Amino acid sequence: MQRPAEKKAGVHTYISQWPIYSLAWSVRHDKPSRLAIGSFIEDYSNKVELVQFNQDTSDFTTDNRLIFDHPYAPTNLMFFPSEDTTNPDLIATSGDYLRLWEIHDDRIELKSLLNSNMSSEFNSAITSFDWAECDTRRVAMSSVDTTCTIWDIEREVVDTQLVAHDKEVYDISWGGFNVFASASGDGTVRVFDLRNKERSTIVYENPQDRSLLRVEWNKHDQRFIATVGMDSNKVVILDIRFPTSPLMELKKHDASVNAISWSQGKGHQICSVSDDSRAMIWDVVRPGFQSESGGDMEPEMWYGTTAQINQVRWSAVELNWIGIGFLNKLQLLKV
């Protein structure tokens, strides 16, 4: 079924039935330009919808059989992180629990509900998760209960659970095999190595002592991590070889930054989106870069919308495409 769309050169808009918060790109070779969007409804019952974009016709298509109910608004969505079509077609979601769903041509079925707190009838909200590309059995998730949990999703068991921070953990990102970073309400970004679970390395402390809400490791160049603080208009770029001192701060947004996403192909570009209704693309860690200029660095390009932008995801396969979410609109930007 074709859905309402707005057309503009290089910008393609899908209009959903619900406000959009979370989004994800599929990476399977046989499902190009497929996305998932998660609703933000202030109610128990929310939705996740699969959307197919056709680059030849610039049309979006959906199938009502590929929309499923989700308890609470999903805090994150990720498809199985492999291009190999022999893998199962799965999507993971987080909210009250981590869930895995299996996608069929005519339906989506819950495959597993992963509960790391079986000893209690209560569970803590899951703020985010990251599915390891280098070891697809592993999903790392962050929680408001100060823990980070590593799941073995094949066996559906907890591999590791760490008390990671002094306050809520708001985001988590893999940086390679056995290594991940987390951002917390205690104002720190910490790096963990599962081969030495007793210690972590603080690679950044927010000088304003405010919560850090987003962290994303550059999967293409693992020297670099980006983080964003609560109510902050800055994106902080870290070089883990020189912990605690930021490589640069990107501060041309006029309001709070809500989400960030590294380019999966070039590795030196990052996109940030903000309450100022703009998406900005920055060329940050290119060869020969001088970090002293980072303070007044201008974005390489920016795009303005009509409302606060909640989410951004740079496609890992179609490297010229970025997805953003605001109001009830999914916009795909060709850059």
Side-chain angles (χ1 to χ4, degrees):
M1 179 178 68
Q2 291 195 2
R3 295 284 304 179
E6 297 173 1
K7 295 183 181 177
K8 186 177 173 183
V11 179
H12 306 274
T13 306
Y14 171 74
I15 302 171
S16 174
Q17 301 172 62
W18 309 282
I20 296 171
Y21 175 70
S22 49
L23 67 92
W25 289 88
S26 174
V27 298
R28 287 174 68 96
H29 271 313
D30 61 344
K31 300 289 184 182
S33 304
R34 181 180 63 169
L35 297 98
I37 51 177
S39 68
F40 185 79
I41 302 168
E42 293 185 26
D43 197 358
Y44 178 77
S45 180
N46 274 259
K47 301 285 185 181
V48 175
E49 176 179 15
L50 300 195
V51 178
Q52 184 68 51
F53 177 62
N54 186 321
Q55 292 190 31
D56 295 329
T57 63
S58 299
D59 289 324
F60 292 91
T61 55
T62 60
D63 185 332
N64 286 333
R65 299 172 299 176
L66 302 181
I67 299 173
F68 61 92
D69 292 320
H70 193 277
Y72 304 106
T75 54
N76 197 13
L77 308 170
M78 278 189 79
F79 288 92
F80 193 101
S82 170
E83 299 179 25
D84 188 350
T85 56
T86 62
N87 288 311
D89 195 7
L90 302 177
I91 186 170
T93 66
S94 57
D96 52 347
Y97 297 102
L98 182 67
R99 290 176 172 86
L100 294 176
W101 310 78
E102 188 154 13
I103 304 166
H104 303 276
D105 290 337
D106 59 352
R107 67 195 186 283
I108 298 175
E109 295 178 332
L110 180 64
K111 179 178 183 290
S112 48
L113 184 153
L114 303 175
N115 180 5
S116 59
N117 191 13
M118 301 293 285
S119 60
S120 172
E121 60 180 300
F122 302 105
N123 59 293
S124 299
I126 299 165
T127 52
S128 192
F129 69 92
D130 194 16
W131 202 332
E133 298 169 31
C134 55
D135 183 2
T136 55
R137 292 176 302 117
R138 281 178 158 177
V139 174
M141 73 179 198
S142 54
S143 172
V144 297
D145 66 4
T146 76
T147 65
C148 294
T149 304
I150 312 301
W151 280 95
D152 180 328
I153 60 165
E154 284 186 1
R155 296 189 297 139
E156 298 188 8
V157 296
V158 172
D159 182 295
T160 304
Q161 188 166 52
L162 304 168
V163 177
H165 288 266
D166 300 327
K167 292 184 178 179
E168 302 91 337
V169 189
Y170 288 121
D171 204 3
I172 194 164
S173 182
W174 288 103
F177 194 77
N178 281 324
V179 179
F180 66 88
S182 56
S184 167
D186 64 14
T188 66
V189 172
R190 303 187 189 211
V191 170
F192 295 83
D193 189 327
L194 294 174
R195 292 162 293 194
N196 184 0
K197 300 172 185 175
E198 302 304 314
R199 63 183 298 272
S200 63
T201 302
I202 296 176
V203 294
Y204 179 67
E205 291 186 77
N206 192 341
Q208 278 81 41
D209 203 30
R210 285 186 179 174
S211 299
L212 295 173
L213 297 186
R214 295 282 178 264
V215 65
E216 182 154 336
W217 211 311
N218 186 333
K219 303 294 197 281
H220 189 81
D221 189 336
Q222 292 159 353
R223 295 173 296 172
F224 303 107
I225 296 174
T227 188
V228 174
M230 180 181 286
D231 300 325
S232 172
N233 71 328
K234 296 188 296 188
V235 179
V236 179
I237 306 296
L238 311 172
D239 184 334
I240 61 169
R241 298 170 299 175
F242 309 105
T244 72
S245 180
L247 177 69
M248 70 177 80
E249 295 181 338
L250 311 174
K251 43 192 179 185
K252 292 299 181 180
H253 280 291
D254 296 327
S256 300
V257 176
N258 293 321
I260 48 179
S261 186
W262 287 101
S263 164
Q264 300 289 307
K266 298 177 181 176
H268 55 82
Q269 290 183 318
I270 191 169
C271 184
S272 57
V273 296
S274 165
D275 279 351
D276 67 5
S277 308
R278 292 188 293 174
M280 294 187 176
I281 297 174
W282 311 82
D283 203 358
V284 290
V285 288
R286 60 193 180 279
F289 169 77
Q290 298 295 317
S291 63
E292 291 81 2
S293 66
D296 295 311
M297 188 171 188
E298 296 288 340
E300 187 178 349
M301 63 183 83
W302 65 271
Y303 170 73
T305 67
T306 56
Q308 300 170 345
I309 307 174
N310 298 318
Q311 192 58 266
V312 60
R313 287 287 182 267
W314 205 311
S315 173
V317 177
E318 292 152 296
L319 303 177
N320 294 328
W321 289 91
I322 296 172
I324 61 173
F326 62 97
L327 301 176
N328 64 334
K329 294 181 180 180
L330 164 69
Q331 279 195 337
L332 304 186
L333 314 177
K334 189 170 186 180
V335 296

